Amino acid sequence: MKRIFLNLPQFGKGNWWVEVITTQPYCIYYFGPFTNAREAKRKQPGYIQDLAEEGIGSIQAIVKQCHPTQLTIVEPDDSHLDRKAHTSDIQEKDLSPLY
């Protein structure tokens, strides 16, 4: 019974993830899962740096709770306009264009 109460605050919300969106090429990357937003935010710069060093263009990152169905999504053309179909978003934090 004790274990149920320990997990109750996170029930249904999902884990914390760093969602990174790039435009050249258009991709969505999910890094995680993390136990809390602070841990995800602390790791976020390393993921951004790795992508920037690969020459990826226009990078945005969000720390959020979600249930990603794929960890890397490469979308051709304008199919990225419906990106919400790839996750069950619960909460978004710190939308910040980084490059």
Side-chain angles (χ1 to χ4, degrees):
M1 188 67 134
K2 187 175 183 180
R3 200 173 352 163
I4 292 172
F5 290 116
L6 291 175
N7 292 329
L8 191 58
Q10 292 299 317
F11 181 73
K13 291 184 178 182
N15 292 309
W16 288 94
W17 294 81
V18 176
E19 178 187 70
V20 177
I21 302 172
T22 64
T23 59
Q24 296 295 325
Y26 185 85
C27 294
I28 302 171
Y29 302 92
Y30 290 95
F31 299 99
F34 300 100
T35 56
N36 57 57
R38 173 182 260 169
E39 180 186 7
K41 191 71 173 169
R42 188 172 45 86
K43 299 277 186 158
Q44 180 178 324
Y47 303 130
I48 302 303
Q49 182 178 351
D50 288 347
L51 291 170
E53 288 173 359
E54 290 180 22
I56 303 297
S58 184
I59 301 170
Q60 288 187 331
I62 302 170
V63 172
K64 66 182 187 178
Q65 283 183 290
C66 65
H67 299 280
T69 57
Q70 295 176 266
L71 297 181
T72 302
I73 302 163
V74 179
E75 298 193 22
D77 306 324
D78 293 330
S79 58
H80 65 276
L81 297 176
D82 187 28
R83 74 179 182 89
K84 293 287 185 187
H86 297 288
T87 65
S88 173
D89 294 341
I90 303 298
Q91 182 176 3
E92 297 185 1
K93 295 227 184 235
D94 301 323
L95 176 60
S96 54
L98 299 173
Y99 290 90

